[in-house]
Amino acid sequence: MPHHFHHPRDRDWQHRASCRGTDTEMFFSPDGERGNVRAQREHAAKQVCHNCPVLADCRAHALTATEAYGIWGGLSENERARLIRRTRLPARPRECGAPPDPLTWRIRTPRA
């Protein structure tokens, strides 16, 4: 279990969340939910998150704890996964100044 779960004060933000007392079904997809029904439910959940006073805390928790399901911090599972992938991917060689892939990089040498 992650260390931060052992300290109740680390989760005090949850007591101030706009979703507190809201039916959790709004934030978590039932099995088999797809298409417009899912999009509408997620939109409604994100509306609750929109002006939440602890949005940043909730989002940070979801990203740190890698919450696999539900709307957290105004982000769906797919949005969090994309954000995590984007922040973990190394920069392309041209962007960070590293040489290109040695398997595809041709070294041009002068001919004698």
Side-chain angles (χ1 to χ4, degrees):
M1 187 177 276
H3 181 268
H4 65 275
F5 287 131
H6 296 289
H7 300 288
R9 71 171 184 261
D10 289 342
R11 292 178 39 172
D12 282 346
W13 58 267
Q14 291 180 344
H15 297 287
R16 299 185 317 276
S18 295
C19 62
R20 183 127 176 112
T22 305
D23 188 354
T24 58
E25 289 181 10
M26 177 185 287
F27 298 90
F28 296 92
S29 176
D31 290 339
E33 182 186 57
R34 294 183 186 7
N36 287 338
V37 172
R38 182 178 183 125
Q40 289 173 354
R41 181 193 50 74
E42 286 183 349
H43 179 74
K46 289 177 182 183
Q47 287 299 107
V48 173
C49 298
H50 183 69
N51 291 317
C52 182
V54 295
L55 176 81
D57 295 313
C58 183
R59 185 172 291 177
H61 162 78
L63 294 170
T64 302
T66 59
E67 291 288 352
Y69 302 103
I71 303 295
W72 288 85
L75 299 174
S76 68
E77 300 104 357
N78 292 334
E79 292 165 334
R80 287 191 307 278
R82 275 194 302 272
L83 183 61
I84 289 168
R85 276 194 309 271
R86 226 181 359 211
T87 58
R88 288 187 182 164
L89 287 177
R92 291 184 178 161
R94 288 183 193 137
E95 294 170 0
C96 67
D101 181 350
L103 298 175
T104 60
W105 185 41
R106 288 187 172 176
I107 301 174
R108 295 183 188 220
T109 56
R111 294 186 185 208

